[in-house]
Each structure stands twice: as structure tokens, then as C-alpha cells.
Amino acid sequence: GMISKKKSDYSSAVSYYERALSVLEASYGRRHPMVGALMSELADVFRKTDRFDDAEKSYSSSIDILQDTLGALHPDLADPLNGLALVLKKKGFYADAEPLHQKCLQIITRAFPKGDHPKTALYLNGLADLKRKVGDFGSAEELYQQTLKITEARLGPDHSEVAEILNNLGLVHKKR
């Protein structure tokens, strides 16, 4: 599934992930962390193919399994929480997405307290996007600036991810 997903062969990825889920569930039971992790991978494919209801259901199942088996602050929980937040934002449920973004940041800063982890930048950027979409431009700008600092330090000032963040900052300033 992962290779198909990376190649953007999403129909094959879904097929492989669903088959792998059947095998894992038969081997370990439905409430196993590997099942939860794989459900998140499947949800990613659903999200990328605009199957938002399927993605929401799969992310929610993944989160439920991972919270029960690994704990509410385990780092493996952050990506499915972020994925669910992205789906909810796409569906226009900003108030539901925000606490998920906050939880991602709480998890990642607890696991990596220096605050310079690539996932920290990813989750800050997600929250900044939400703040921009709801018109909280001051918060959005602050969050994008934090994202920019981490990303520039990690990738250098000429990287495409830096350009994307700078573009987002420009969008914020345009709306102000």
C-alpha cells in the first residue's frame, strides 16, 4: 500500500491496505496498534482522493485504537489526529478541527521539547491554516512565523516548503 500511495496509485493503495487490514485483524485482533496505524494510512489515501467521509471514519477508528492501546499522548497518535483535523477543515468544521491541531502540537512538543522537529512545523502550519481560514490573521501570522523559523533552520531559506510558508504569510497580510 505504501508504495502505491507514494506513486499516487490510490486505487491499488486502498486495495493493498484493506487486504493488509484483514490479515492484521485476523492475526492480532481489531484493537491492535498496528491495525490503528494501518487504518491511518488508509485514511490518508481516502483524504487524498476526496473521500472525506471514509477518511473521517478511518481516522476516528485509528485514533480510538491508538489511544486505547498506546495512550492519549503517544507520538503515533499525532498523525491520525492531524489527518482528521485536515478532513474536518475540508468539510468546514473548523471548531472541531482546532482542538485536534492543538492536541497534535501538545503530543509532539511533549515528545520533542526543543520545538524544532519537522512535525512541529507541520502541525503549526495546519493550525495556522485554520486560523487564516477563520479570519484570525494575527494568530495565523504568529503560527506561520514559527513554522517558517523551524523550516528554514531545517531546510534552508531557498527550499520550496519555505516558499509555501512565505506565500501563506503573504495571504495573511493581503487579508489584513
Side-chain angles (χ1 to χ4, degrees):
M2 290 176 89
I3 293 171
S4 296
K5 184 170 115 177
K6 286 202 184 290
K7 292 167 54 177
S8 299
D9 180 2
Y10 297 124
S11 62
S12 292
V14 168
S15 177
Y16 287 127
Y17 282 138
E18 287 176 341
R19 191 169 157 201
L21 271 172
S22 293
V23 171
L24 286 175
E25 287 174 352
S27 298
Y28 300 113
R30 180 142 173 79
R31 310 288 303 167
H32 192 277
M34 288 175 60
V35 171
L38 195 57
M39 290 185 94
S40 180
E41 293 292 331
L42 177 61
D44 286 343
V45 175
F46 288 149
R47 181 175 50 84
K48 289 178 185 200
T49 56
D50 297 337
R51 292 174 57 183
F52 298 121
D53 290 338
D54 291 329
E56 184 176 354
K57 182 180 174 191
S58 294
Y59 281 129
S60 294
S61 294
S62 171
I63 291 163
D64 185 48
I65 292 167
L66 294 173
Q67 275 185 183
D68 284 354
T69 58
L70 301 176
L73 294 175
H74 194 280
D76 288 352
L77 191 59
D79 279 342
L81 284 167
N82 186 61
L84 181 56
L86 295 174
V87 167
L88 293 173
K89 276 194 308 196
K90 273 289 201 195
K91 294 172 83 172
F93 300 125
Y94 301 120
D96 295 328
E98 185 169 355
L100 299 176
H101 281 302
Q102 297 285 2
K103 182 80 168 183
C104 292
L105 285 166
Q106 177 189 11
I107 289 169
I108 204 68
T109 54
R110 183 175 176 264
F112 302 99
K114 283 178 55 180
D116 61 353
H117 193 275
K119 294 280 183 168
T120 303
L122 177 70
Y123 302 146
L124 284 167
N125 193 69
L127 183 57
D129 286 342
L130 182 141
K131 294 292 189 180
R132 180 173 50 87
K133 287 179 179 165
V134 299
D136 184 354
F137 301 118
S139 295
E141 180 177 11
E142 183 180 320
L143 292 162
Y144 282 134
Q145 290 289 357
Q146 291 175 43
T147 304
L148 181 64
K149 181 180 176 185
I150 295 166
T151 305
E152 278 186 324
R154 193 177 100 250
L155 301 174
D158 298 325
H159 195 275
S160 62
E161 285 185 33
V162 170
E164 188 175 320
I165 298 162
L166 291 169
N167 181 65
N168 289 338
L169 278 164
L171 292 173
V172 167
H173 284 274
K174 183 179 173 183
K175 295 285 187 179
R176 284 186 129 186

